[in-house]
Amino acid sequence: MNPALSHVRNWIFDLDNTLYPVSANLFAMIDARIGQYVQNLLGLDPVAAHKVQKGYFHAHGTTLAGLMAEHGTDPHHYLADVHDVDMSVLEVNEALVEALAKLPGRKLVFTNGDAPYASKVLDRLGLGASFEAIHDVHATQYRPKPDPQAYQGLCDAYDLDPHASLFVEDMARNLAPAKAIGMTTVWIDNGSEQVPGDADRSFIDYTVTDLGAWLHSILETSE
């Protein structure tokens, strides 16, 4: 292991656009379904619905959190609807599968989605047996990343020392609360959607473009 990361005992990963590439366009399909859900729920045209969708995403962390706060939306109904997408676009990434298997310590998924969806994605990626647990939006009591309570809840649920933990995310802003409690932070800079005006990167320890390649590079340090 790279000596700079020898303290890491807990490896925590976001799911969408982190464990699979943005180019798969899976989340783009989900994003489109979210827009349609907002249209149907609020009786809006596509342009108005998109404005509401992204406004809630930026202000609340997820569109779901905004819909729950403003309209009392049932999270189970919403998640089942927006995650009803074709997962055949996902492919097994052997390099990532091998790298995760070699990582010493615990491995968890921390997602603003739900566990049933995450499990399907992981199975498609060949990662179904790679993680100890999936900490999802239900487990956060619908306080999604980047709400600091979501991170503390994760640590409490699995007895994680944040100072011995590393968190990988494609949404830069979701790394700030992780860094604040002592986690090592890794940003997947892959072109995924960021919050407008969110230019602060001071809380990011490592910036990478290919997760599998980066994990192999830190493991090969000692080989």
Side-chain angles (χ1 to χ4, degrees), residues 15 36 51 64 92 129 145 175 195:
L15 179 74
Q36 187 62 56
K51 183 176 181 180
L64 171 60
V92 174
K145 298 174 289 184
L175 292 166
V195 176

Side-chain angles (χ1 to χ4, degrees), residues 54-78:
K54 295 307 176 181
Y56 286 167
F57 170 65
H58 297 152
H60 294 270
T62 62
T63 303
L64 171 60
L67 289 174
M68 290 179 68
E70 302 296 334
H71 305 283
T73 297
D74 176 5
H76 296 277
H77 181 270
Y78 170 93

Side-chain angles (χ1 to χ4, degrees), residues 29-48:
M29 290 189 285
I30 294 171
D31 194 60
R33 289 194 65 88
I34 293 172
Q36 187 62 56
Y37 192 97
V38 174
Q39 288 183 54
N40 296 341
L41 179 69
L42 303 181
L44 300 175
D45 63 57
V47 174

Side-chain angles (χ1 to χ4, degrees), residues 188-217:
I188 305 294
D189 182 10
N190 56 11
S192 61
E193 180 181 0
Q194 305 295 313
V195 176
D198 178 24
D200 184 9
R201 300 291 183 263
S202 61
F203 45 81
I204 294 171
D205 295 311
Y206 299 89
T207 299
V208 305
T209 57
D210 185 312
L211 178 58
W214 181 73
L215 291 177
H216 276 289
S217 73

Side-chain angles (χ1 to χ4, degrees), residues 9-210:
R9 297 292 180 268
N10 312 303
W11 303 83
I12 306 162
F13 299 85
D14 173 50
L15 179 74
D16 290 308
N17 292 336
T18 295
L19 293 178
Y20 63 80
V22 172
S23 59
N25 285 325
L26 181 70
F27 197 76
M29 290 189 285
I30 294 171
D31 194 60
R33 289 194 65 88
I34 293 172
Q36 187 62 56
Y37 192 97
V38 174
Q39 288 183 54
N40 296 341
L41 179 69
L42 303 181
L44 300 175
D45 63 57
V47 174
H50 182 78
K51 183 176 181 180
V52 169
Q53 175 187 352
K54 295 307 176 181
Y56 286 167
F57 170 65
H58 297 152
H60 294 270
T62 62
T63 303
L64 171 60
L67 289 174
M68 290 179 68
E70 302 296 334
H71 305 283
T73 297
D74 176 5
H76 296 277
H77 181 270
Y78 170 93
L79 291 165
D81 187 291
V82 303
H83 287 152
D84 185 16
V85 293
D86 178 13
M87 294 192 183
S88 66
V89 296
L90 298 178
E91 299 178 350
V92 174
N93 182 338
E94 294 292 354
L96 181 56
V97 173
E98 293 172 5
L100 286 170
K102 292 179 181 179
L103 284 179
R106 303 170 70 185
K107 285 153 275 190
L108 303 97
V109 170
F110 182 23
T111 176
N112 280 346
D114 63 358
Y117 161 75
S119 294
K120 292 177 183 177
V121 170
L122 293 176
D123 286 343
R124 287 288 308 179
L125 296 172
L127 299 172
S130 298
F131 297 96
E132 172 185 336
I134 299 168
H135 196 72
D136 71 353
V137 69
H138 302 301
T140 67
Q141 298 180 14
Y142 311 108
R143 294 180 178 272
K145 298 174 289 184
D147 188 319
Q149 292 189 46
Y151 301 74
Q152 190 58 54
L154 169 71
C155 293
D156 292 344
Y158 299 100
D159 193 24
L160 304 178
D161 176 0
H163 295 279
S165 302
L166 177 147
F167 183 41
V168 183
E169 253 277 2
D170 71 296
M171 283 290 298
R173 71 168 178 178
N174 290 347
L175 292 166
K179 186 64 177 178
I181 60 174
M183 291 185 180
T184 300
T185 55
V186 180
W187 180 39
I188 305 294
D189 182 10
N190 56 11
S192 61
E193 180 181 0
Q194 305 295 313
V195 176
D198 178 24
D200 184 9
R201 300 291 183 263
S202 61
F203 45 81
I204 294 171
D205 295 311
Y206 299 89
T207 299
V208 305
T209 57
D210 185 312

